[in-house]
Amino acid sequence: MTLSGPHPKWLTFDCYGTLIQWDEGLLAAMDRILAGNKQSIDRDAFIAVYDRHEHRLEAERPHRSFQDVSAAALALAMKEFSLEVSPGDADLLTSSISRMPPFPEVVETLARLKAAGFKLAIISNTDDAIIAGNVAQLGGWVDRVITAEQAGAYKPTRQIFQYAWQELGVEKQQLVHVCASPHLDLAAARELGFKTVWVDRGTGRKPLADYAPDAIIARLDELPDLLSAAGWME
């Protein structure tokens, strides 16, 4: 699979799972939250339930902050597993998200992309205050960070992407979006028709049955070669 077309002005990225170690960080946070419960819980099953509640709450109107969404999703997941919720659990979760580190290859790859002349932006389903801790670990290479808080909407809705493109001052043909989430980012691309590179990190997440990304890579450091093959790396 290769990329083609005019040279993009911007590369946009999903943050969690693409640049930042979401699954690993979330599992560690859940271990801390569940540590006081005597009941044995399957961590993967718990996270799947948490994710289900989070995505449902993000789709509701009026828009709620990610801090509120994550707290409510955690409480609902805990209830579903018959676990007691402690007052500090929600703050522990959001503070843990903010501290999640990048994947090992990310900072160096972002530096290479900047050196090649690309503008780099993040489009993320989070709040400004939460993502600030993650962005601070990305080496200063990111030009813009656009959040659901700013757009008043979460992926995969049209609203957050159109808000991002307006803020960046580009049309969808002038960018490539790099992401790890099929049910959020690839679903939006299916509807809106922008180019995507799917980072399949082997988490078990599958692409949509009726949509194929423009290219697939296993790690972010494969992206420069992909862009070079398209004639886009200076």
Side-chain angles (χ1 to χ4, degrees):
M1 303 174 75
T2 58
L3 296 168
S4 61
H7 189 297
K9 295 181 178 180
W10 284 84
L11 300 177
T12 59
F13 297 86
D14 174 44
C15 183
Y16 301 107
T18 303
L19 304 178
I20 296 295
Q21 298 183 51
W22 171 258
D23 287 355
E24 298 83 351
L26 192 58
L27 285 171
M30 291 305 177
D31 280 346
R32 293 174 63 192
I33 291 169
L34 299 176
N37 289 278
K38 297 180 181 180
Q39 182 180 344
S40 179
I41 299 295
D42 183 318
R43 298 187 309 166
D44 293 334
F46 185 88
I47 287 178
V49 171
Y50 168 84
D51 282 345
R52 169 165 50 83
H53 287 300
E54 179 193 304
H55 298 320
R56 179 182 58 79
L57 292 167
E58 287 173 346
E60 292 181 350
R61 291 291 182 270
H63 178 81
R64 301 166 66 180
S65 72
F66 183 75
Q67 183 169 355
D68 288 346
V69 165
S70 61
L74 178 62
L76 289 168
M78 298 282 275
K79 181 178 180 181
E80 198 163 322
F81 280 83
S82 300
L83 299 171
E84 184 176 345
V85 181
S86 299
D89 286 345
D91 287 340
L92 192 158
L93 176 58
T94 53
S95 64
S96 296
I97 292 173
S98 188
R99 291 193 302 270
M100 290 176 181
F103 289 98
E105 81 282 5
V106 163
V107 175
E108 182 179 349
T109 302
L110 294 179
R112 289 184 62 191
L113 297 172
K114 281 291 292 181
F118 291 103
K119 291 283 192 178
L120 308 180
I122 288 173
I123 305 173
S124 181
N125 273 5
T126 189
D127 298 340
D128 294 350
I130 292 174
I131 201 172
N134 309 113
V135 175
Q137 302 177 68
L138 295 179
W141 302 117
V142 176
D143 297 289
R144 290 292 306 272
V145 178
I146 295 167
T147 64
E149 179 183 6
Q150 296 167 30
Y154 291 98
K155 305 173 193 174
T157 62
R158 175 184 299 264
Q159 182 178 337
I160 186 170
F161 284 99
Q162 290 183 327
Y163 174 86
W165 302 338
Q166 180 179 351
E167 288 295 302
L168 299 178
V170 295
E171 301 293 334
K172 63 184 179 183
Q173 296 85 2
Q174 298 173 306
L175 58 85
V176 174
H177 186 62
V178 184
C179 60
S181 174
H183 67 280
L184 296 177
D185 297 76
L186 297 188
R190 177 183 59 190
E191 179 181 352
L192 298 176
F194 54 89
K195 286 188 177 71
T196 55
V197 175
W198 180 40
V199 185
D200 181 7
R201 293 188 179 273
T203 62
R205 295 179 177 89
K206 300 299 182 184
L208 305 175
D210 56 351
Y211 172 81
D214 295 277
I216 301 173
I217 56 178
R219 293 163 45 98
L220 201 71
D221 53 7
E222 297 176 13
L223 184 59
D225 287 343
L226 183 68
L227 300 176
S228 290
W232 295 341
M233 288 287 286
E234 298 178 0

